[in-house]
Amino acid sequence: MTSQVRGAQLARLLGQWHALPGRRRSPDYAALAGAVRGLLADGRLPLGVRLPAERDLAEALRISRTTVTAAYRELRDSGHLASRRGAGSWTMLPGTHRVASNGLWIPLDDRDMLDLGVAALAAPPELLPAARAAAEDLPRYLGGAGYHPIGIIELREAVAQAYVDRGLPTSPDQIMVTNGTQHALDLVLRLALAPGGSVLVESPSYPNALAALSARRARITTHGLAADISGWDADLLLGSLRQVRPRVAYLIPDFQNPTGHLMPAELRERLVATAHAVGTDLVIDESFVDLSLDDTVMPPPTASFDRHSRVVSIGGMSKPFWGGLRIGWIRASAPQVQRLAAARVGVDMASPVLDQLVAVHLMAAAPAIAAARRSQLTAQRDALLGALATRLPEWRITVPRGGVTLWAELDGPISSALARAAEEVGVRLAPGPRFGLDGTLERFLRLPFTLPSADLVEAVGRIAAVRYDLDRAGAPRWHEPSVIA
């Protein structure tokens, strides 16, 4: 059954849809069609959803039905809308588009695009030697069926040792290998969260985690993070846990995505104690834990304060190594790992053996790879900060001590409009609302520093130019509803 968005719901998503670049040069129907395409592009409006009837949307937006009719016609002409008499109109994608790795719908001919929507690095040079070594190791597994529901022992030992090196005693029986960190989160939610269960998350947070929670029909409560380096307000965070008593809390304490905040050790200890007291399971995302910058001293893992199996840690190869290697893991108690393996049967049987062997060899080279990554990311971060200070000095940015992203506070609630304008000049952005709920965070923008420094400087120059064009377009004009006789 096709889902449907009502007129009032779409109106909230559209927000100030008039405030688009070149508003004075575009008729209302074109601006409305462009705003709907923008919602599709950044994933806030799904594909295959039925749009409201023309009269319903016209009443919600307080514009004429003729304007909505013309906007729908333009969306059909561009391949973003399909209509059938008596059945309505539903969103779709033109044949010249595809899904990008960040989940956004993009044109196929985008090779010259500077993509700041993806916060991930290219593969390290050590990947090819690791792949060759893995292929040489593969024959000893070929005599079996190839199914290892919790992962091959070599990789589980390597992941467990990485936790031991961080000061957290861990056995291979406490590790389950998954097909990436997102898969790990999905499995944990299947086990820990019933449909409709309550969840506490940070705001902003990782968009794909929010999507996974929405798929579970979770009742989400948010804890707002400060824009400065302080990040979490301890009293508010722990107070929310005590008041809401969520079944699960999903948190990113190690260089939080997108803000880059690092949770102090004292708060981690209080967080675990409070979670135990109120009966909340903590899902701790450690995707960026290996990417500290500026010689930052890392706090102990959150799970090191756990005495009651309340903390489940998830991580993977995507951020420190390569996103194309779909290997992640879960660290939990041994009984929890066994229950997760049983739950996995309804999703898949096991992770690919060859990919796991590649991961084993990469983890053996992890110290050298991490050192090179830190040097590369520090240089690219500083280049991005310098370009922003020169071209967009009004933006407020807290320098992160690790991770791969800046969280910029803009000089106005223009994030979505700026992202649409930047797309026209060859820069792809992930606007602030992608990292929150219900269209909030329009004053913010995530800027990863994973591209080469020259590309980052060029991207900032293009962003600054279209930011200036937004001002030149003048204040948005609001029209009285047209009367059609």
Side-chain angles (χ1 to χ4, degrees), residues 176 183-195 216 247-248 281 283 309 312 330 332-344 347:
M176 178 179 188
H183 181 219
L185 175 61
D186 179 77
L187 288 174
V188 172
L189 292 179
R190 286 171 181 266
L191 185 66
L193 186 67
R216 299 292 298 170
R247 182 67 188 84
V248 170
D281 287 336
V283 181
S309 299
V312 176
I330 301 168
S333 68
Q336 285 175 312
V337 167
Q338 293 303 314
R339 291 196 294 271
L340 285 163
R344 183 176 190 166
V347 182

Side-chain angles (χ1 to χ4, degrees), residues 71-438:
Y72 279 15
R73 183 187 310 117
E74 179 161 307
L75 289 167
R76 283 192 294 271
D77 291 343
S78 64
H80 291 86
L81 197 65
S83 301
R84 188 167 66 246
R85 185 178 298 276
S89 300
W90 56 94
T91 55
M92 59 180 292
L93 199 68
T96 57
H97 285 58
R98 64 179 175 87
V99 186
S101 55
N102 58 358
L104 306 185
W105 299 104
I106 62 172
L108 286 172
D109 54 347
D110 67 335
R111 293 183 179 179
D112 295 328
M113 184 71 68
L114 297 174
D115 194 346
L116 297 183
V118 178
L121 293 158
E126 292 86 352
L127 180 62
L128 280 178
R132 295 189 185 101
E136 294 176 359
D137 291 342
L138 185 60
R140 70 173 182 267
Y141 281 92
L142 298 181
Y147 296 121
H148 301 270
I150 63 173
I152 63 173
I153 184 61
E154 294 100 319
L155 182 53
R156 290 189 288 118
E157 288 176 341
V159 175
Q161 185 60 48
Y163 279 105
V164 171
D165 293 342
R166 293 171 57 200
L168 179 59
T170 303
S171 72
D173 291 340
Q174 292 178 264
I175 302 298
M176 178 179 188
V177 178
T178 64
N179 297 322
T181 310
Q182 187 71 11
H183 181 219
L185 175 61
D186 179 77
L187 288 174
V188 172
L189 292 179
R190 286 171 181 266
L191 185 66
L193 186 67
S198 60
V199 180
L200 177 69
V201 301
E202 299 142 333
S203 179
S205 188
Y206 179 48
N208 293 338
L210 297 177
L213 292 170
S214 296
R216 299 292 298 170
R217 303 194 302 278
R219 293 181 288 111
I220 301 175
T221 301
T222 59
H223 167 68
L225 297 180
D228 59 26
I229 199 169
S230 61
W232 300 265
D233 183 305
D235 291 339
L236 288 177
L237 174 59
L238 302 181
S240 296
L241 280 174
R242 295 187 188 102
Q243 293 172 21
V244 178
R245 293 178 173 265
R247 182 67 188 84
V248 170
Y250 168 79
L251 303 171
I252 314 173
D254 299 293
F255 310 122
Q256 200 263 353
N257 184 8
T259 64
H261 294 321
L262 180 64
M263 183 181 289
E266 186 267 342
L267 179 53
R268 295 175 189 228
E269 184 173 13
R270 294 175 63 192
L271 173 67
V272 174
T274 304
H276 171 62
V278 303
T280 296
D281 287 336
L282 298 177
V283 181
I284 302 300
D285 190 334
E286 299 182 318
S287 295
F288 298 93
V289 71
D290 296 314
L291 298 177
S292 61
L293 306 178
D294 304 328
D295 296 321
T296 297
V297 177
M298 294 299 296
T302 305
S304 63
F305 302 105
D306 184 25
R307 301 293 180 270
H308 306 281
S309 299
R310 283 290 178 190
V311 177
V312 176
S313 304
I314 60 177
M317 308 291 290
S318 297
K319 302 306 180 183
F321 297 96
W322 187 46
L325 187 63
R326 303 309 303 151
I327 293 293
W329 50 78
I330 301 168
R331 183 204 179 272
S333 68
Q336 285 175 312
V337 167
Q338 293 303 314
R339 291 196 294 271
L340 285 163
R344 183 176 190 166
V345 174
V347 182
D348 65 354
M349 298 300 293
S351 298
V353 171
L354 183 58
D355 287 16
Q356 293 184 71
L357 290 170
V358 174
V360 169
H361 287 279
L362 282 177
M363 293 196 72
I369 295 174
R373 292 299 206 195
R374 293 183 185 117
S375 176
Q376 173 189 0
L377 287 169
T378 299
Q380 291 171 185
R381 180 200 62 183
D382 294 346
L384 179 57
L385 287 168
L388 290 168
T390 300
R391 300 300 303 272
L392 293 161
E394 302 85 3
W395 291 10
R396 294 178 54 193
I397 299 168
T398 300
V399 180
R401 292 178 288 171
V404 299
T405 62
L406 304 180
W407 185 240
E409 183 177 356
L410 312 183
D411 54 331
I414 58 169
S415 184
S416 294
L418 184 63
R420 291 193 288 270
E423 187 93 13
E424 299 299 321
V425 294
V427 179
R428 180 164 299 114
L429 300 173
R434 292 265 309 161
F435 302 87
L437 301 172
D438 301 325

